[in-house]
Amino acid sequence: CCCCCCCCQTTLCTPRSEIMDSMFVPEGYTRVYGWSFLYIFSLTLPHSTAVQLAWPDQALHNGNVYGILPLTLAKQLSIYLMLVHQLIAFCLYSAPLYYMCEKALRVHTKPIYIRVLARLPVSLSVAAFAVAFPFYGTINAVVASITSPLVAFAFPAAAYSWLHRTTARQQACVRPPPSWMMKLFGGWAGIHALNVFIVAFFIVDGTGFGMFYSFSQFIRDVQHFKPFPQCYQC
C-alpha cells in the first residue's frame, strides 16, 4: 500500500516518452497522441471491466483490487510487478521535487553525495505521508481531479484559442481545424466558443466536482481508518 501511495499517480496516462519524441516531429504528434489513447484504453478498460462485472458488490466498497482478487500465482506476480512499477514511478515523479529541494538548499552544484543528502527530506516526507495515509485509490482520485481535466482538456483548448486569437495567426495556423468543423461552428468564432465551453466544462465538472468528491472521500477515509492504520482494506 505504501509504495502505491508514494507514487500518487495521476491519470495523465499517455505514454510520455513516445509523445516527447513526437514533439520533435510535430506533424506526427496527432497520430502518436491518438494511438497513445488507444493504448491506454486497451491497458485499463478490459481488466477494470472484468473486475467490476465479476465482483460488483465488493468493487463498490473496496478501492483496492488486490483486496478483491483471490490469492493466486498471477495475483502475486502482479503485486511484484506493481511494486517495481511504483518504485520506478516514484523516482520519476519525485525528481522535480528533488531538484527544487537542492535549489532551495543551494547545493544543486555540489557533488552527488551532497545532493543525495539534500533529497532525503523529500523522500522521508513522501514516505511518512504514504504510511500515514495509504489510501492510494483516493489519493489518485484527488491528484487526477486536479490535473487531468486541466492538462488534458482545459489548458490545450485555452492555449489554442489564445495562440490563434488574431486574424494573422489564424491565417498562419500550422494545423487549422478540419473544414467540416469550421463549417459546423461557423469559422474561428465558433471554434473559440467551443474552446471556451470545453474550458468551463472541465474546470467546473472535472476539477470542481472531482475535487469535491475526492477530497470528501479522503476525509471519510481518514475519519474511518485513522492516520497510520495497521490495516487498510486488507
Side-chain angles (χ1 to χ4, degrees), residues 81-221:
L81 292 176
M82 177 62 73
L83 290 175
V84 173
H85 163 75
Q86 298 295 348
L87 289 173
I88 296 173
F90 171 72
C91 296
L92 291 175
Y93 290 130
S94 298
L97 297 177
Y98 291 153
Y99 302 146
M100 293 170 62
C101 190
E102 292 174 8
K103 283 275 191 178
L105 297 177
R106 301 181 183 275
V107 298
H108 55 285
T109 59
K110 302 295 183 180
I112 184 62
Y113 60 86
I114 296 180
R115 287 185 282 134
V116 167
L117 294 176
R119 297 176 181 183
L120 284 177
V122 175
S123 298
L124 294 177
S125 299
V126 174
F129 186 87
V131 174
F133 308 106
F135 320 129
Y136 49 87
T138 305
I139 292 177
N140 282 346
V142 171
V143 177
S145 67
I146 298 173
T147 58
S148 293
L150 298 178
V151 175
F153 299 99
F155 288 169
Y160 189 85
S161 286
W162 175 257
L163 181 63
H164 302 98
R165 64 188 182 277
T166 63
T167 303
R169 291 191 175 186
Q170 293 169 9
Q171 294 174 349
C173 180
V174 176
R175 188 178 291 276
S179 58
W180 64 267
M181 184 176 289
M182 295 289 282
K183 293 179 181 179
L184 179 64
F185 291 98
W188 279 100
I191 297 297
H192 292 325
L194 174 63
N195 284 338
V196 170
F197 171 77
I198 291 174
V199 171
F201 177 81
F202 282 100
I203 287 179
V204 175
D205 183 69
T207 302
F209 290 113
M211 288 179 59
F212 174 78
Y213 170 79
S214 56
F215 275 104
S216 299
Q217 183 61 43
F218 181 79
I219 293 173
R220 287 194 293 269
D221 286 343

Side-chain angles (χ1 to χ4, degrees), residues 6-115:
C6 281
C7 172
C8 293
Q9 286 180 280
T10 71
T11 53
L12 306 178
C13 297
T14 47
R16 291 166 180 80
S17 59
E18 290 82 356
I19 288 183
M20 289 173 63
D21 289 339
S22 72
M23 289 179 180
F24 294 101
V25 187
E27 60 270 19
Y29 180 81
T30 302
R31 183 180 67 258
V32 172
Y33 199 76
W35 280 110
S36 67
F37 268 95
L38 293 178
Y39 163 76
I40 291 302
F41 288 152
S42 65
L43 184 70
T44 58
L45 287 182
H47 71 268
S48 299
T49 304
V51 171
Q52 293 288 341
L53 294 177
W55 297 280
D57 296 333
Q58 297 91 324
L60 182 62
H61 303 287
N62 196 325
N64 180 8
V65 69
Y66 291 127
I68 299 175
L69 298 175
L71 182 61
T72 62
L73 179 61
K75 176 181 176 179
Q76 291 179 322
L77 179 61
S78 172
I79 293 175
Y80 296 144
L81 292 176
M82 177 62 73
L83 290 175
V84 173
H85 163 75
Q86 298 295 348
L87 289 173
I88 296 173
F90 171 72
C91 296
L92 291 175
Y93 290 130
S94 298
L97 297 177
Y98 291 153
Y99 302 146
M100 293 170 62
C101 190
E102 292 174 8
K103 283 275 191 178
L105 297 177
R106 301 181 183 275
V107 298
H108 55 285
T109 59
K110 302 295 183 180
I112 184 62
Y113 60 86
I114 296 180
R115 287 185 282 134

